[in-house]
Amino acid sequence: MITIGMDLGTQRVKVVVLKDGTVVGRAQVFAGFDPAKAAEQAVTDALNTANLSLKDINHITATGSAMDIAPHANSTISMMGADAKAGVFLIPKARTIIDVGAEEARAVKCDDRGLMTEFVVNERCAAGAGAFIEAMARALEVKLEDMGPLALQAERASPINASCVIFGESDVVSLIHRQESKPEIARAVFDAMADRISAMIHRLGINPEVVLSGGVAKDPGFVASLNRKLDLTVTIPEHPEYIGALGAALIAATRAKGTPK
């Protein structure tokens, strides 16, 4: 059984090729102004990695904000459903999956079969997602990839507003004018994000084990802040940015067999 999962996000399209429960190919491409075209390229790249072609695929399931325009897709699945399925597949004891992407953060509670039972999504503002880090990095005039290591150097952080990117950026500028150090400001950025996301998760209720996925899961500064706010250590799977695509590929495998999802 060979299936494909596509995650058409706002910034990137991720694709996973799954063969008999094993990932044999993966690829990601910037979504740009044409996510459907980006998805075509990501599928091609992932298939090339797996030495397969489209005719070898039994089923393709899409997820993500642009899933309705996914090329070649036989079905779709919600982002929350994909997160739950992949989280439990990778971490069998997982019961809470947190997914923090470029424009959105969400948390999902699931059962031992990887079926979603409840979920919450942050408000329509990027302050709880990766775009917030990008905006604050520009304000600090540092590279995005340097934000996490900078934050880990700080022993304290000044509070900033995480209710809106614009307000947060204004607070960062004020801290710069007060000559706060860049490490302390970077930690303040991650602490503000973690405050917002942990509040969202507590509304849902935390069921251990807690898994953190999405591209932001690769940022050590955010992970440290979230662990402090939740007072636990989140589990981060390998390739956390591919969780949605993997979940979609797993759903595709189930649907290809004609069994209930």
Side-chain angles (χ1 to χ4, degrees):
M1 178 71 65
I2 306 175
T3 59
I4 284 178
M6 285 188 281
D7 179 3
L8 285 78
T10 54
Q11 281 196 356
R12 291 176 177 270
V13 175
K14 282 83 65 176
V15 169
V16 164
V17 181
L18 196 68
K19 181 178 182 180
D20 299 328
T22 299
V23 175
V24 294
R26 63 171 64 88
Q28 60 178 305
V29 175
F30 280 107
F33 292 103
D34 192 345
K37 183 178 179 180
E40 288 271 13
Q41 185 61 56
V43 168
T44 298
D45 292 347
L47 285 171
N48 287 341
T49 300
N51 293 315
L52 297 168
S53 65
L54 270 176
K55 63 180 176 59
D56 299 313
I57 307 305
N58 298 104
H59 195 98
I60 299 177
T61 298
T63 191
S65 57
M67 63 183 178
D68 291 335
I69 61 171
H72 313 299
N74 304 110
S75 64
T76 60
I77 182 69
S78 72
M79 293 179 283
M80 289 69 71
D83 286 343
K85 181 62 71 173
V88 174
F89 176 79
L90 293 172
I91 315 292
K93 292 184 179 179
R95 295 297 178 268
T96 301
I97 317 297
I98 306 167
D99 193 331
V100 185
E103 300 290 342
E104 182 181 87
R106 55 188 176 270
V108 181
K109 287 171 69 174
C110 56
D111 63 18
D112 59 357
R113 298 170 295 169
L115 298 180
M116 174 186 64
T117 58
E118 295 181 70
F119 72 92
V120 290
V121 180
N122 72 328
E123 293 83 354
R124 289 186 173 274
C125 176
F132 185 67
I133 306 172
E134 293 183 10
M136 300 308 108
R138 288 194 297 269
L140 275 176
E141 297 182 348
V142 301
K143 294 179 180 179
L144 177 62
E145 59 269 26
D146 291 337
M147 285 288 285
L150 265 179
L152 295 179
Q153 298 173 22
E155 296 182 359
R156 56 176 289 275
S158 300
I160 66 171
N161 192 322
S163 64
C164 172
V165 172
I166 295 173
F167 293 155
E169 191 165 4
S170 176
D171 282 354
V172 166
V173 171
S174 295
L175 292 175
I176 292 171
H177 290 164
R178 282 164 42 188
Q179 297 186 326
E180 296 275 359
S181 72
K182 286 188 177 183
E184 289 172 355
I185 298 174
R187 175 168 165 174
V189 168
F190 290 116
D191 280 357
M193 270 187 70
D195 271 335
R196 186 178 178 94
I197 292 172
S198 63
M200 176 186 74
I201 296 164
H202 282 298
R203 292 199 304 271
L204 179 70
I206 298 175
N207 285 18
E209 180 170 348
V210 180
V211 173
L212 177 62
S213 64
V216 180
K218 299 173 75 174
D219 193 305
F222 173 71
V223 173
S225 289
L226 187 62
N227 284 340
R228 284 194 296 269
K229 298 300 179 181
L230 294 178
D231 193 25
L232 53 78
T233 300
V234 298
T235 299
I236 303 172
E238 189 178 10
H239 307 296
E241 69 273 33
Y242 283 97
I243 283 286
L246 173 60
L250 290 165
I251 294 292
T254 302
R255 291 175 176 173
K257 296 174 183 176
T259 58
K261 65 179 180 181

